[in-house]
């Protein structure tokens, strides 16, 4: 199993946790204030949460794709790219969490 695969999986898992927290806060803000901004943030969070949850499902649970991704069949350049996207997304979400809770 590749280091890139492990980093991508962990990053996707962290993204799911961060997005759950953000959607909870943004959803609560929308329920309280009924602002379009809060609704937009909550919807953005829900869609990004769906994307990350689906990626995590593919990496860990899908009977066909998880085996393929865990094998050496995926070229390292593809893994580096996928890992970079997940890690950059984690950095962006950490910043959003910091701004949201400040």
């Amino acid at each position: 199993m590749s280091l890139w695969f492990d980093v991508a999986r962990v990053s996707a898992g962290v993204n799911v946790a961060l997005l759950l927290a953000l959607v909870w806060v943004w959803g609560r803000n929308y329920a309280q204030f009924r602002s379009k901004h809060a609704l937009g943030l909550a919807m953005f969070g829900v869609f990004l949460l769906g994307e990350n949850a689906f990626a995590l499902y593919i990496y860990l649970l899908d009977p066909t794709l998880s085996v393929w991704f865990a094998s050496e069949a995926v070229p390292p350049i593809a893994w580096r790219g996928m890992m970079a996207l997940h890690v950059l997304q984690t950095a962006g979400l950490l910043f959003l969490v910091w701004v949201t809770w400040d």
Side-chain angles (χ1 to χ4, degrees), residues 43-59:
M43 291 306 299
F44 167 77
V46 166
F47 290 133
L48 201 56
L49 176 62
E51 184 267 332
N52 278 279
F54 186 64
L56 207 54
Y57 166 78
I58 288 172
Y59 292 159

Side-chain angles (χ1 to χ4, degrees), residues 8-71:
R9 284 190 314 175
V10 168
S11 185
V14 170
N15 291 347
V16 166
L18 292 171
L19 284 161
L20 284 170
L22 286 169
V23 167
W24 178 75
V25 170
W26 292 334
R28 188 185 62 188
N29 287 347
Y30 176 70
Q32 183 177 358
F33 302 114
R34 298 287 184 208
S35 74
K36 288 183 190 176
H37 182 74
L39 178 61
L41 288 171
M43 291 306 299
F44 167 77
V46 166
F47 290 133
L48 201 56
L49 176 62
E51 184 267 332
N52 278 279
F54 186 64
L56 207 54
Y57 166 78
I58 288 172
Y59 292 159
L60 298 175
L61 302 173
D62 187 90
T64 304
L65 293 175
S66 64
V67 173
W68 180 65
F69 277 121
S71 73

Side-chain angles (χ1 to χ4, degrees), residues 2 4 68 71-82:
S2 161
W4 307 115
W68 180 65
S71 73
E72 298 297 321
V74 179
I77 189 74
W79 268 125
R80 282 186 222 124
M82 290 172 70

Side-chain angles (χ1 to χ4, degrees), residues 14-15 18 22 87-100:
V14 170
N15 291 347
L18 292 171
L22 286 169
V87 170
L88 286 171
Q89 193 175 96
T90 301
L93 289 172
L94 284 169
F95 185 77
L96 270 175
V97 166
W98 177 69
V99 167
T100 301

